[in-house]
Amino acid sequence: MAIVTDNILMQLVRGTLGKQLTIYERNGQIIMAAKRGPSTKKPTQKQLEARHKMTIASARAQRLMADPEIKAYYESLAGPGQNAYNMAVKDAYRSPEVQNIRLEGEDVVVTAKNEFRVAEVEVKVIDAEGVITESGQAVLGRNRIDWHYKATALPAGGKVIVVAENLPENQTVKELLLT
């Protein structure tokens, strides 16, 4: 790979020359590289899983780009050489992280993070028999990381299930056993 500078001919040429050389532009720089061909190796299981995950992320990102507000949000986060779609794919590739669930009296406080933003957090309270006694949306706190849910009762022997979701609708589920 070579980066071309101060060559008027290369300023105008893009594409593949024969079957040997490719000339393209990335981040304002002109790059010459040997033409790559398709791999002759069979993809590994991890590669196939990553490709499948990327296909899903791409489809979710395309759906997000249809909403002008969300597109503007991702556009505001894009750096040099990036665009809103790149940011949306990056967001759709990863799920939010539920770092902590803690109880403060009858309040359930959930610490959830995402590289971009957590869209919503749902809290379900389940009794010892496995019946959902209540559920609802948590409210984002002032620190923009903690989500608060006011439970009416937290039954002993039950559990609290938390579902954090980001803009592309990736979900992370975590539970806390009540003692």
Side-chain angles (χ1 to χ4, degrees):
M1 179 176 85
I3 298 174
V4 179
T5 58
D6 294 334
N7 187 323
I8 194 143
L9 178 62
M10 291 299 152
Q11 299 291 328
L12 306 171
V13 177
R14 300 288 180 278
T16 301
L17 301 173
K19 293 184 179 180
Q20 297 180 4
L21 187 66
T22 301
I23 302 170
Y24 60 96
E25 186 173 346
R26 177 175 289 157
N27 294 332
Q29 292 185 318
I30 300 167
I31 300 171
M32 286 178 40
K35 183 178 183 318
R36 290 193 55 202
S39 176
T40 56
K41 294 180 182 178
K42 184 177 179 184
T44 65
Q45 186 62 33
K46 283 181 84 172
Q47 287 173 325
L48 292 172
E49 289 170 7
R51 289 177 188 176
H52 178 69
K53 192 173 177 182
M54 184 57 82
T55 300
I56 292 169
S58 176
R60 287 182 176 177
Q62 288 174 0
R63 192 178 70 240
L64 288 170
M65 291 298 97
D67 184 333
E69 287 182 32
I70 293 176
K71 184 175 182 177
Y73 168 71
Y74 285 123
E75 192 72 43
S76 71
L77 300 172
Q82 298 175 323
N83 58 35
Y85 175 75
N86 298 142
M87 296 293 97
V89 169
K90 187 175 182 181
D91 193 16
Y93 196 77
R94 294 193 176 101
S95 297
E97 178 185 355
V98 177
Q99 295 181 323
N100 189 19
I101 304 171
R102 64 186 185 279
L103 304 175
E104 294 177 0
E106 295 295 311
D107 278 355
V108 177
V109 181
V110 179
T111 303
K113 284 188 174 182
N114 191 48
E115 187 173 347
F116 295 91
R117 80 175 177 211
V118 177
E120 63 182 44
V121 173
E122 182 183 8
V123 177
K124 298 176 188 173
V125 179
I126 299 175
D127 65 13
E129 287 80 41
V131 177
I132 298 175
T133 58
E134 65 179 289
S135 69
Q137 298 296 320
V139 177
L140 184 59
R142 286 185 178 178
N143 66 1
R144 313 288 294 160
I145 296 172
D146 289 336
W147 294 74
H148 300 269
Y149 177 78
K150 182 76 171 167
T152 55
L154 296 170
K159 60 184 170 181
V160 174
I161 296 178
V162 173
V163 181
E165 187 174 291
N166 63 4
L167 287 174
E169 299 175 358
N170 291 329
Q171 295 182 338
T172 300
V173 179
K174 195 166 183 179
E175 61 182 56
L176 172 71
L177 298 176
L178 302 171
T179 55

